[in-house]
């Protein structure tokens, strides 16, 4: 290879690396919307997910859940069914709440949107923070 082609190749690689760095700035943040809803994803009064009131379940079986998705935005009224693709966790799961930057206990307003939710999922993923079911659509 001539010195000119090595120089051009090196320049191309540097430009390509710069382009990749610009596209992948390491910002894995997203917005995630949160709602208090029943097992089927029907929005309920947010007081039902206030674990300080302890009204959200019978014994150890929760009746209400905090549903979340990057597609949820403010404005779904009580009685509305959330769009398919969200995930849920028990309203009183302190670890799950904290992992999303929510208060570990207490009331969370319906339609709360958190930014900088990094790598937490959405779009139907369940993982350990969920009861393992997706909304039915």
């Amino acid at each position: 290879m001539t010195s000119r082609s090595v120089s051009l190749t090196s320049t191309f690689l540097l430009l390509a690396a710069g382009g990749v760095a610009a596209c992948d700035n390491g910002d894995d943040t997203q917005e995630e919307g949160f709602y208090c809803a029943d097992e089927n994803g029907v929005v309920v009064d947010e007081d039902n997910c206030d674990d300080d009131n302890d009204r959200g379940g019978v014994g150890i079986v929760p009746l209400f859940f905090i549903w979340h998705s990057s597609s949820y935005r403010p404005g779904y009224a009580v009685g509305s069914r959330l769009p398919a693709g969200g995930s849920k966790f028990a309203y009183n799961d302190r670890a799950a709440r904290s992992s999303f930057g929510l208060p570990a206990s207490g009331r969370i307003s319906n339609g709360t949107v958190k930014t900088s939710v990094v790598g937490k999922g959405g779009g139907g993923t369940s993982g350990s923070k969920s009861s393992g079911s997706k909304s039915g659509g």
Side-chain angles (χ1 to χ4, degrees):
M1 230 189 243
T2 68
S3 63
R4 181 179 175 138
S5 65
V6 170
S7 176
L8 289 175
T9 302
S10 297
T11 302
F12 173 76
L13 290 174
L14 286 172
L15 288 173
V20 169
C23 291
D24 182 21
N25 62 6
D27 184 10
D28 292 333
T29 62
Q30 66 182 29
E31 290 186 339
E32 194 90 359
F34 296 85
Y35 279 87
C36 179
D38 67 11
E39 180 177 286
N40 299 310
V42 176
V43 178
V44 298
D45 188 286
E46 55 214 17
D47 287 337
N48 290 311
C49 290
D50 182 349
D51 63 344
D52 290 341
N53 292 337
D54 201 25
R55 299 181 343 175
V58 177
I60 60 170
V61 179
L63 297 176
F64 302 107
F65 300 86
I66 297 175
W67 284 78
H68 60 97
S69 173
S70 58
S71 67
Y72 294 170
R73 296 291 172 247
Y76 300 111
V78 170
S80 304
R81 187 179 186 108
L82 293 168
S87 298
K88 66 184 178 186
F89 57 85
Y91 75 96
N92 57 354
D93 184 338
R94 291 175 180 249
R97 284 170 162 245
S98 294
S99 73
F100 285 101
L102 299 168
S105 65
R107 184 172 171 236
I108 299 169
S109 297
N110 280 334
T112 294
V113 174
K114 298 295 285 182
T115 55
S116 301
V117 176
V118 180
K120 301 295 189 236
T125 57
S126 295
S128 64
K129 292 183 270 315
S130 171
S131 68
S133 75
K134 302 175 190 174
S135 88

